[in-house]
Amino acid sequence: MSRDPEPGEGAEPRRWIADRTRRDADRTRKDAERTRRDAERTRKDAERSRRDERPRREVVTSPRTMAPRHPRYPVTREIDEQTRLGEVYMRSLVRTQFRLALFVCTVLGCVVAGLPLMFLLVPELRAVHLLGIPLPWAVLGGLIYPAFVIGAWLYVRQAERNERHFAELVDRAR
């Protein structure tokens, strides 16, 4: 049977060996842990670099999920109340109608001013008679009025079309 050593007999070397073994085991465990942490860090760095190569996705959400989908005031109300936005809409309609009126008046003005000029530059046309009436008098006195009527009809038609487009724009903005 082995007996336990007395306090002064050899207990020191056993404790020293046990402590050394324990320290070596701790050191081996710590080295293994450090190696595992280094491998994990390397893996994470590789993933991070791969992730950095791709653009990062972000989800944008509105904090106001219960917000109304339509503006608080419809455009027709903006126009009725004559707000700045309503003024912009009305100014665009008026400007479009004004351009149309200028175009029609310019065309008719050129026709009306061009006929006497044409009769002045081409004297043979002054000598032509239509049903016993000189051609300049027949054209300026009778045939010019249908041109005015056609011009007015085209103007009204185009103006109504502009107003329809404006109404569609206002309805779409609701």
Side-chain angles (χ1 to χ4, degrees):
M1 280 215 163
S2 77
R3 68 178 179 87
D4 287 334
E6 296 290 322
E9 253 182 39
E12 281 304 311
R14 283 190 192 164
R15 192 176 309 137
W16 180 79
I17 292 173
D19 287 345
R20 185 173 176 193
T21 308
R22 196 176 312 121
R23 270 184 283 164
D24 288 345
D26 286 346
R27 190 175 304 133
T28 305
R29 201 175 321 117
K30 286 179 183 177
D31 288 344
E33 176 113 0
R34 189 177 305 123
T35 305
R36 187 185 56 75
R37 267 190 267 129
D38 289 345
E40 183 71 21
R41 189 176 306 130
T42 305
R43 186 183 60 78
K44 284 183 180 178
D45 289 343
E47 282 179 18
R48 192 175 302 122
S49 67
R50 262 187 270 128
R51 214 177 319 134
D52 292 343
E53 291 173 5
R54 288 182 279 155
R56 190 168 173 214
R57 290 186 178 191
E58 293 185 23
V59 177
V60 179
T61 59
S62 172
R64 297 176 25 185
T65 55
M66 299 304 290
R69 294 190 183 272
H70 298 292
R72 198 167 49 173
Y73 299 108
V75 175
T76 53
R77 185 172 177 183
E78 297 279 351
I79 293 170
D80 292 339
E81 293 179 358
Q82 297 179 349
T83 61
R84 292 185 74 131
L85 180 61
E87 287 178 18
V88 169
Y89 276 107
M90 288 308 297
R91 201 174 313 127
S92 71
L93 175 65
V94 170
R95 196 176 305 131
T96 303
Q97 299 292 51
F98 183 67
R99 278 195 303 258
L100 176 63
L102 280 179
F103 175 74
V104 170
C105 288
T106 302
V107 169
L108 289 176
C110 289
V111 168
V112 170
L115 285 174
L117 187 63
M118 183 180 70
F119 291 132
L120 182 68
L121 296 175
V122 185
E124 298 86 30
L125 290 177
R126 283 186 276 170
V128 175
H129 289 309
L130 188 66
L131 300 172
I133 303 172
L135 185 63
W137 282 100
V139 170
L140 290 175
L143 296 178
I144 198 74
Y145 292 108
F148 282 139
V149 170
I150 291 171
W153 178 74
L154 289 173
Y155 172 77
V156 168
R157 186 172 163 216
Q158 190 67 30
E160 288 174 348
R161 186 172 139 221
N162 288 344
E163 289 174 2
R164 272 195 312 273
H165 285 299
F166 178 75
E168 289 172 7
L169 175 71
V170 168
D171 285 341
R172 212 176 325 132
R174 281 186 180 181

